[in-house]
Amino acid sequence: MDRNYCQELLDAIERADRAGAAAVVDAWAVGRSFSQVVPELLSPTLESFGTLWSQGHGGVSLATGYVASKVAEDVLSRLLRESSPDGGPILPSKGPVLLGNVEDDFHPLGRNMVVAFLRTAGWDVRDLGVDVPPAQFVDQAEETGARVIGASAMMYTTAKNVARIRAEIDRRGLTGKVQLAVGGAVFKLRPELVSDLGGDGTATSALEASALFERLWQRSLNLDPTPLRALP
Amino acid sequence: MAALQDQPADRPLLLLNAGLYGAKLTGASLKDHYRDPAVYVEGQVAILETFSPDFLISPFVLAGLGEAFGSRVTSSLRQPPNVAAFAAESAEAALRLPLPDVDSHPGILYLRESIRLLAGRYAGRVPVIGLLVSPLDLPPLIIGLEAWLDALLFQPEVARALLDRLTPFFAALGKAMLGDGATALALTANLTNRFIVPERVVETLGRPALREALAEIPGPVILHHGGCPLLPHLGDFMGHPNVVGYVLDAGEDLGEARRVLGAGPLLLGNLSGPDLAGLRPDEVGVLCDRALAQRGPDQQFALATCCADIPLDTPPECIEALTDAVCRAGRVPA
């Protein structure tokens, strides 16, 4: 009987069993091209996990989400080591996009998980770290050509700094062209803050961030398809 | 004092997580507020005189505990200090850090002196709650949350060793805070909450470690939800030594919590302190009335702001709405 590797990987994640997850990936890889691990194993598994997470499934804790992000990182690290035998791209290329915790916010866990899941989905993520001033977000967007900025804030106090990023984007005439995604515990508790503070969208879990970034990227292109920066 | 002593109170009790807001009332810089015990205490005096809560609190500056272990703390113009860089990169590395001396470390002396000054001023009249974290929540301040999750999830023997190392520090500081005059300690235990960690961690590490640590505290303890839902997992936090009360998360069902807890423990909640800044006073009043109506004549209930500090930009009228609500619901005139 064929093994259901996706279910086995999902089970390992739910048990917070990182080593068990690696063993499932190893077993899946026997006789297969590892270049297909993301579309054939990791993505469908994470999609199922994301559904459980967003539904508030009883066994899914924050740590389980963290384990999922670590499993994704493990798979991506191996993928980078084992380049595609046909010389094709290892992952689809999307982006670039930016991610960072807003100024005064020093809670990186959620952001790090989003970084892992976005990279799994093929985004070129530039991670700016914690305590990022508004100008730095927008400077980096202009330098890299990122059409989406992801700003993370855990607390209401720090979430207010999202409004300062919004103001900086608008002040530089980049309204619409640079989309502002926001995330963090406070936005889950108070969704009205997303628009109140000038965000263009949010996701209900880290795993849904990629779909959000896709929508925002497309909205930016629809509003203004010209590049953010002059091509070299 | 009545509720903590299981005596009838003359009105519903009120607790404000307003350590930060004291600086707004006194006009002190946050740098001074979180360094100088006398400045902090003046803030609590102003809170008491302005809003008449039934409890005073020690500084809610958990980053200071991380600083005592060597983490680097950064100050802010809008919120309490935060840990900006950790003292060690892993649980294994943290095992080699010396434990801070609760009788000489400046950051810890700030916490303790704040309690001493408040207790000296209000002894026997207004309870002073000492704010602390359980040993389970200390590592995120020393090595960061991710490194602590790595230990809890993937190196449970190392996590257990670190908890064993930190518990004596927690006990020494808890004893000292009670000795300084704290009426009770309020502490978080987030890393034994099923919202944060899987059942396996709760059962094998979290609950046993919490029980052992609480047994070392020679006084009453109130468990705080710490930003996580508490009600769905309340059973995990019951039956531990010295626990006399629970602070629920914002909006959690107070009636259901009382049903689960039974008569006896103090029940506190359920208004989000950070959200007060975004509400009108009449909206705050409605939320207060709803919470108070859920508990009716429950003498062991305190209307309380939960989650984080009440933000500096909260209009005072929104905090006065809490005072007005307990007076309306109580047996004394406003």
Side-chain angles (χ1 to χ4, degrees):
Chain A
M1 198 171 95
D2 287 344
R3 287 174 66 174
N4 186 340
Y5 289 103
C6 289
Q7 186 60 50
E8 287 183 30
L9 188 56
L10 182 62
D11 291 344
I13 289 170
E14 287 200 87
R15 290 194 309 273
D17 180 2
R18 189 175 179 181
V24 173
V25 174
D26 285 344
W28 175 90
V30 174
R32 290 182 170 88
S33 165
F34 203 74
S35 65
Q36 294 306 303
V37 69
V38 170
E40 292 186 8
L41 178 62
L42 187 58
S43 289
T45 303
L46 292 179
E47 197 172 314
S48 299
F49 179 73
T51 303
L52 293 175
W53 200 359
S54 61
Q55 289 172 348
H57 183 262
V60 178
S61 63
L62 175 69
T64 322
Y66 174 70
V67 172
S69 72
K70 287 289 152 189
V71 168
E73 281 181 8
D74 290 344
V75 170
L76 290 188
S77 295
R78 180 170 169 184
L79 191 58
L80 291 171
R81 287 196 306 272
E82 300 180 20
S83 57
S84 170
D86 58 6
I90 295 170
L91 284 170
S93 180
K94 302 174 190 170
V97 294
L98 305 177
L99 228 60
N101 286 76
V102 300
E103 194 166 29
D104 277 346
D105 192 291
F106 294 89
H107 300 92
L109 179 65
R111 187 196 85 247
N112 286 342
M113 288 162 61
V114 171
V115 168
F117 294 136
L118 286 177
R119 284 182 174 152
T120 303
W123 290 94
D124 173 12
V125 181
R126 314 292 172 94
D127 186 0
L128 304 183
V130 297
D131 188 27
V132 181
Q136 188 182 341
F137 274 113
V138 188
D139 286 348
Q140 286 293 309
E142 290 188 308
E143 273 182 36
T144 63
R147 290 179 176 273
V148 184
I149 290 173
S152 175
M154 183 177 174
M155 317 273 288
Y156 178 71
T157 317
T158 52
K160 291 175 184 174
N161 286 328
V162 166
R164 296 173 58 217
I165 304 173
R166 169 84 275 154
E168 188 67 18
I169 291 170
D170 294 347
R171 189 182 68 78
R172 298 194 198 186
L174 297 171
T175 310
K177 193 164 189 170
V178 173
Q179 296 281 314
L180 181 56
V182 299
V186 67
F187 295 104
K188 204 165 179 177
L189 294 170
R190 296 186 55 186
E192 75 279 7
L193 283 180
V194 178
S195 57
D196 288 355
L197 296 173
D200 292 310
T202 190
T204 54
S205 80
L207 272 160
E208 292 173 35
S210 181
L212 170 68
F213 275 51
E214 295 270 13
R215 287 197 302 276
L216 295 181
W217 187 277
Q218 194 55 51
R219 189 190 295 168
S220 165
L221 281 176
N222 291 343
L223 290 167
D224 186 347
T226 59
L228 252 80
R229 59 182 181 133
L231 296 173
Chain B
M1 302 288 265
L4 281 173
Q5 295 165 350
D6 204 17
Q7 300 293 316
D10 56 5
R11 68 165 193 184
L13 299 166
L14 176 63
L15 183 144
L16 300 172
N17 189 357
L20 173 67
Y21 204 79
K24 165 145 179 161
L25 297 183
T26 62
S29 73
L30 291 192
K31 194 171 181 184
D32 292 339
H33 189 73
Y34 287 114
R35 288 281 175 203
D36 185 339
V39 173
Y40 177 81
V41 166
E42 285 312 306
Q44 283 296 283
V45 171
I47 292 290
L48 186 64
E49 291 176 350
T50 308
F51 303 119
S52 306
D54 296 287
F55 304 84
L56 295 171
I57 59 172
S58 69
F60 190 28
V61 59
L62 304 181
L65 299 174
E67 186 178 33
F69 281 83
S71 293
R72 184 170 61 79
V73 166
T74 181
S75 57
S76 164
L77 297 175
R78 291 175 285 272
Q79 61 180 358
N82 251 302
V83 175
F86 297 105
E89 63 181 16
S90 68
E92 276 178 324
L95 285 169
R96 296 189 289 275
L97 294 174
L99 295 183
D101 180 0
V102 300
D103 293 318
S104 64
H105 189 279
I108 291 173
L109 290 181
Y110 161 76
L111 290 175
R112 293 186 56 191
E113 183 64 11
S114 299
I115 292 172
R116 271 197 290 266
L117 291 173
L118 285 170
R121 190 159 178 160
Y122 296 106
R125 291 181 291 139
V126 187
V128 177
I129 308 298
L131 305 183
L132 193 53
V133 293
S134 72
L136 290 141
D137 288 1
L138 272 171
L141 302 167
I142 302 168
I143 61 175
L145 180 55
E146 291 188 45
W148 184 225
L149 283 176
D150 282 341
L152 287 170
L153 295 168
F154 311 129
Q155 294 181 293
E157 68 293 343
V158 176
R160 180 71 237 194
L162 187 56
L163 288 171
D164 289 343
R165 174 122 178 96
L166 295 175
T167 295
F169 166 76
F170 162 78
L173 182 53
K175 282 177 196 167
M177 291 167 80
L178 290 166
D180 293 331
T183 317
L185 302 180
L187 51 94
T188 64
N190 287 358
L191 273 296
T192 190
N193 188 315
R194 290 166 200 249
F195 183 78
I196 301 289
V197 289
E199 180 179 358
R200 163 173 61 88
V201 173
V202 173
E203 295 294 345
T204 60
L205 276 171
R207 288 183 68 188
L210 183 61
R211 172 175 290 275
E212 290 163 24
L214 290 172
E216 299 291 318
I217 297 298
V221 170
I222 296 167
L223 291 179
H224 188 281
H225 71 93
C228 306
L230 195 62
L231 181 56
H233 321 294
L234 205 45
D236 290 335
F237 299 94
M238 293 169 63
H240 292 305
N242 300 312
V243 176
V244 300
Y246 300 85
V247 184
L248 292 195
D249 195 3
E252 289 196 302
D253 187 329
L254 297 162
E256 175 63 10
R258 176 57 77 201
R259 191 192 66 73
V260 174
L261 291 171
L266 192 58
L267 180 61
L268 303 100
N270 62 1
L271 299 183
S272 167
D275 282 359
L276 295 182
L279 298 171
R280 296 191 313 271
D282 62 303
E283 293 173 321
V284 176
V286 168
L287 292 173
C288 292
D289 290 345
R290 187 179 303 162
L292 289 162
Q294 281 182 18
R295 291 314 317 131
D298 187 344
Q299 295 277 0
Q300 296 297 107
F301 169 67
L303 182 68
T305 66
C306 48
C307 307
D309 264 297
I310 297 171
L312 289 173
D313 60 354
T314 305
E317 295 78 13
C318 288
I319 307 176
E320 286 164 5
L322 280 89
T323 309
D324 293 344
V326 292
C327 289
R328 273 198 310 276
R331 291 160 286 281
V332 294

